[in-house]
Amino acid sequence: MPRATRDGVSIHYEYDESEGGGTPVVFVQGLGYGRWMWRWQREAVADDRDVIAPDNRGTGRSDVGLPPLLPRLPRKLRAPLIFKLAGYSIGGLAADLEEVLKDAGVRQAHVVGASMGGMIAQRYALEYTRAKTLTLCCTSHGGPDAVPVPDETQEFIFDVPDGASEREKLRHRMRPAFTERFTNRNPHLMDRIIEWRLEQDADDPAREAQAAAVLDFDVSDRLEGLRVPTLVLHGTDDRVVPFENGLLLEEAIPNARLERFEGGSHCFFIEHADRMNEELRAFLADHD
């Protein structure tokens, strides 16, 4: 069970070795999500290259790294303190990723990030030297021009029904991330995702700390200096990080290419896993 440590916080990661000779790929997940969200993509590339899958700080088997008494406070007291004083930063999460790749002995890696993970990937590529390519899914560069998460979606994510069980809370929070058509047609998969989330996702204090990082993120004025090949993937019906953010990334990053997933949701990489995997495998192969 490999671990890297930064600022006294232990970051867990999985390292899957392959017999292929391709450059390793590291997958960085979104706000609150566990390693489960990349299972389709990890399987798709596993024959050709090593795969590194960290648990973001506060997620899965990684330490939370918050002051000890803070997570025990009621949410009404805890959340304002986290957002003002104790939240994570995208820069700090990128530094965690650097420690993971250093610990794993990886000199270069294809960095794949979704949502918050895409923000970490951008900051990582700007400040460290191991990123060979970037694949940015359903994410944003932050800043004043970015299109924010819609108010209706924020209500789903942060305001759950009173008296709801943990499974009901997760199901409620997931609704904007998937299309209704997909959830209605795949009830058994959605049930399995709930179980994976119960096992691997961040708890509420860590989710709030990650949300604070997202709110403070802005690299919009730095992306012209990004020189690694970049693939931007975005669903046109993303109700969490609106599609316009993908257009902004393509415009801001030199040598970036945008692939649209027509009608795709925030979790298009699950709903349209076959096409996502084709795009990813071809991009990585082109830049090995």
Side-chain angles (χ1 to χ4, degrees), residues 146-162:
V147 181
V149 178
D151 291 341
E152 180 183 0
T153 298
Q154 292 194 45
E155 291 175 6
F156 268 100
I157 294 173
F158 292 105
D159 297 328
V160 297
D162 291 337

Side-chain angles (χ1 to χ4, degrees), residues 194-263:
I194 293 293
E195 297 306 316
W196 294 331
R197 298 199 69 175
L198 285 169
E199 178 186 356
Q200 297 182 15
D201 278 14
D203 61 13
D204 284 345
R207 285 180 66 255
E208 292 156 10
Q210 291 183 11
V214 169
L215 288 175
D216 285 341
F217 174 70
D218 179 5
V219 292
S220 57
D221 61 349
R222 300 175 61 189
L223 291 181
E224 64 180 13
L226 196 57
R227 291 293 181 261
V228 299
T230 302
L231 176 63
V232 180
L233 304 167
H234 217 117
T236 59
D237 287 351
D238 191 330
R239 293 188 288 162
V240 181
V241 180
F243 172 71
E244 289 80 3
N245 291 293
L247 297 172
L248 292 171
L249 282 170
E250 182 187 35
E251 180 180 348
I253 301 174
N255 201 21
R257 172 170 61 87
L258 171 66
E259 289 293 336
R260 305 166 183 244
F261 283 69
E262 294 294 338

Side-chain angles (χ1 to χ4, degrees), residues 268-288:
F268 70 87
F269 46 88
I270 297 175
E271 295 195 27
H272 303 283
D274 288 345
R275 183 188 161 200
M276 165 70 188
N277 295 342
E278 289 174 7
E279 297 281 0
L280 179 61
R281 284 172 60 91
F283 176 68
L284 299 185
D286 285 345
H287 295 284
D288 262 342

Side-chain angles (χ1 to χ4, degrees), residues 9 57 63-73 78 81-82 85-88 205-206 209:
V9 175
R57 180 176 294 235
D63 291 348
V64 175
L66 293 173
L69 297 178
L70 192 56
R72 303 179 189 177
L73 295 175
R78 179 188 70 233
L81 290 173
I82 287 177
L85 301 173
Y88 306 153

Side-chain angles (χ1 to χ4, degrees), residues 11-264:
I11 307 298
H12 167 264
Y13 65 96
E14 292 184 347
Y15 192 124
D16 300 329
E17 296 187 55
S18 76
E19 296 180 0
T23 302
V25 57
V26 58
F27 289 100
V28 191
Q29 57 265 27
L31 197 161
Y33 279 45
R35 284 170 281 103
W36 65 266
M37 66 170 274
W38 290 120
R39 63 190 302 119
W40 294 267
Q41 286 68 52
R42 289 175 64 177
E43 290 176 2
V45 304
D47 289 340
D48 302 322
R49 58 193 73 246
D50 295 356
V51 172
I52 303 99
D55 285 329
N56 289 330
R57 180 176 294 235
T59 307
R61 298 176 183 173
S62 291
D63 291 348
V64 175
L66 293 173
L69 297 178
L70 192 56
R72 303 179 189 177
L73 295 175
R75 184 178 183 274
K76 289 183 178 180
L77 295 176
R78 179 188 70 233
L81 290 173
I82 287 177
F83 276 89
K84 290 179 182 179
L85 301 173
Y88 306 153
S89 69
I90 297 297
L93 295 170
D96 290 345
L97 178 58
E98 171 69 358
E99 288 302 319
V100 165
L101 294 182
K102 188 188 302 182
D103 185 79
V106 173
R107 298 179 63 183
Q108 275 198 318
H110 298 292
V111 183
V112 182
S115 200
M116 184 188 76
M119 298 176 182
I120 297 169
Q122 291 171 69
R123 187 73 183 263
Y124 183 78
L126 285 166
E127 298 184 2
Y128 302 95
T129 61
R130 299 175 202 268
K132 189 169 187 178
T133 68
L134 288 182
T135 301
L136 304 176
C137 305
C138 54
T139 193
S140 162
H141 60 36
D145 294 335
V147 181
V149 178
D151 291 341
E152 180 183 0
T153 298
Q154 292 194 45
E155 291 175 6
F156 268 100
I157 294 173
F158 292 105
D159 297 328
V160 297
D162 291 337
S165 68
E166 285 303 309
R167 286 175 174 78
E168 290 168 341
K169 289 178 183 177
L170 288 171
R171 198 175 296 275
H172 180 82
R173 286 172 174 160
M174 281 199 309
R175 282 183 61 188
F178 291 88
T179 61
E180 289 189 18
R181 181 180 182 183
F182 183 82
T183 56
N184 290 339
R185 289 187 172 188
N186 297 276
H188 298 300
L189 174 58
M190 300 310 294
D191 287 341
R192 288 175 67 193
I193 287 175
I194 293 293
E195 297 306 316
W196 294 331
R197 298 199 69 175
L198 285 169
E199 178 186 356
Q200 297 182 15
D201 278 14
D203 61 13
D204 284 345
R207 285 180 66 255
E208 292 156 10
Q210 291 183 11
V214 169
L215 288 175
D216 285 341
F217 174 70
D218 179 5
V219 292
S220 57
D221 61 349
R222 300 175 61 189
L223 291 181
E224 64 180 13
L226 196 57
R227 291 293 181 261
V228 299
T230 302
L231 176 63
V232 180
L233 304 167
H234 217 117
T236 59
D237 287 351
D238 191 330
R239 293 188 288 162
V240 181
V241 180
F243 172 71
E244 289 80 3
N245 291 293
L247 297 172
L248 292 171
L249 282 170
E250 182 187 35
E251 180 180 348
I253 301 174
N255 201 21
R257 172 170 61 87
L258 171 66
E259 289 293 336
R260 305 166 183 244
F261 283 69
E262 294 294 338

